């Protein structure tokens, strides 16, 4: 999942869990407190734990052409349901269903807000002797620089 601000991630997780509970009988929250705890814990896990799990399961992710990320998300949802009392998943399929909705709402949040990972920006290297479309009348003192 792309790095988005934590508030937007929590909103996406909230909508994903709500829709998963509404559409599947295997996703149950005993109380509002368990729902809030699940949202908070999933937000933390998706921010901190998911990159580590994706790295560990990289061969699976590559072999399945990215569908292994759904497995990673389902594992995170299963872990959150094991920790949060009152958040119950009936089957492994319920975890997949919940992971699908959380992923779709996160993707939608990124698409609507335009927030993407600012760490991955275009890097342009300029070296002397490799200039294009430069006015020869302008004198540049130091053309060995990196635009980030």
């Amino acid at each position: 999942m792309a790095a988005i601000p934590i508030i937007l991630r929590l909103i996406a997780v909230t909508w994903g869990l709500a829709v998963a509970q509404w559409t599947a009988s295997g996703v149950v929250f005993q109380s509002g407190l368990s729902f809030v705890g699940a949202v908070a814990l999933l937000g933390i896990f998706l921010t901190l734990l998911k990159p580590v799990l994706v790295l560990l399961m990289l061969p699976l992710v590559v072999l399945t052409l990215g569908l292994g990320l759904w497995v990673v998300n389902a594992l995170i949802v299963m872990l959150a349901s094991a920790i949060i009392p009152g958040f119950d998943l009936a089957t492994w399929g319920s975890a997949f269903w919940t992971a699908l909705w959380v992923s779709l709402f996160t993707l939608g949040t990124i698409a609507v807000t335009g927030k993407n990972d600012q760490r991955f920006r275009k890097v342009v290297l300029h070296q002397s002797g490799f200039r294009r479309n430069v006015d020869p009348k302008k004198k540049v003192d130091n053309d060995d620089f990196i635009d980030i």
Side-chain angles (χ1 to χ4, degrees):
M1 212 179 320
I4 58 175
I6 190 70
I7 299 298
L8 292 177
R9 182 178 302 275
L10 289 176
I11 291 170
V13 169
T14 302
W15 279 102
L17 287 177
V19 170
Q21 181 188 16
W22 182 57
T23 58
S25 60
V27 181
V28 178
F29 293 99
Q30 302 287 331
S31 66
L33 186 60
S34 63
F35 182 78
V36 171
V39 167
L41 193 62
L42 269 177
I44 291 169
F45 282 172
L46 289 173
T47 303
L48 301 176
L49 188 61
K50 184 179 177 184
V52 174
L53 285 177
V54 169
L55 187 62
L56 291 174
M57 297 182 71
L58 194 58
L60 174 71
V61 172
V62 171
L63 285 175
T64 60
L65 302 176
L67 292 177
L69 292 173
W70 195 15
V71 174
V72 171
N73 287 344
L75 287 173
I76 291 173
V77 169
M78 291 284 290
L79 179 64
S81 73
I83 293 174
I84 299 293
F87 175 29
D88 300 319
L89 295 171
T91 62
W92 179 249
S94 300
F96 275 143
W97 186 249
T98 305
L100 173 69
W101 281 110
V102 170
S103 299
L104 286 176
F105 276 102
T106 302
L107 183 64
T109 302
I110 292 168
V112 168
T113 61
K115 298 285 184 184
N116 56 4
D117 198 344
Q118 294 298 321
R119 294 176 293 170
F120 302 108
R121 288 179 266 167
K122 182 176 150 184
V123 176
V124 179
L125 297 174
H126 296 280
Q127 296 178 348
S128 60
F130 294 103
R131 295 153 114 205
R132 296 182 199 161
N133 301 327
V134 177
D135 187 12
K137 296 177 186 175
K138 292 183 181 177
K139 189 75 172 170
V140 178
D141 293 333
N142 186 7
D143 59 353
D144 296 329
F145 58 90
I146 299 173
D147 291 335
I148 298 179

